[in-house]
Amino acid sequence: MHQPRIFISYDYDNDKHYKNLLLAWDENNEFDFAFSDQSADVSIQSTNADAIKRAISAKINSATHFLCIVGANTSQSGWVAWEIDKAKDLEKKLVAVKTASGNTTPSGLRNAGASWAMSFTFDAIKKAIDGA
């Protein structure tokens, strides 16, 4: 079986450290993580966003899974919402994990058939990815 290729969606301003933890776990070769930090300083509504959207779309399209890190402010991120919608359009396997149980689920993940990790641990995330 091929190694899952996972696009990581996260709130750049608030949850980079969680993305970095995933990348540290990537050293074990269980997953092949991909992500985009390009959207950080560009409004989702900006005309400059078109090239970024094309680049992110290509990365999501090449992934087998879409993993959304749901932090305290993720549900308010226009970029994360756009990435979730793009992953659904491309029929990617959706996986999500909250950094804290009280974090609000982004609306695009509600009733979307996402496989949820019950905690932000390697084992829980691996189980969710394997179950997606």
Side-chain angles (χ1 to χ4, degrees), residues 3-91:
Q3 182 182 55
R5 180 160 173 74
I6 301 159
F7 180 88
I8 304 169
S9 178
Y10 64 100
D11 176 359
Y12 179 85
D13 292 329
N14 298 293
D15 298 322
K16 287 186 274 215
H17 54 289
Y18 291 102
K19 181 262 309 184
N20 290 335
L21 181 56
L22 288 173
L23 295 178
W25 290 340
D26 190 31
E27 295 299 316
N28 70 20
N29 296 319
E30 294 251 0
F31 306 120
D32 182 11
F33 288 116
F35 62 94
S36 178
D37 283 341
Q38 298 173 332
S39 61
D41 295 326
V42 178
S43 166
I44 189 77
Q45 312 304 342
S46 167
T47 55
N48 295 335
D50 291 341
I52 294 169
K53 287 178 182 178
R54 282 191 298 277
I56 292 172
S57 292
K59 288 184 179 191
I60 294 171
N61 193 43
S62 69
T64 59
H65 294 69
F66 176 90
L67 171 62
C68 185
I69 299 172
V70 181
N73 301 303
T74 304
S75 65
Q76 300 166 17
S77 170
W79 276 107
V80 172
W82 181 85
E83 290 170 350
I84 291 167
D85 288 344
K86 179 55 68 175
K88 290 183 342 187
D89 288 347
L90 295 171
E91 299 180 356

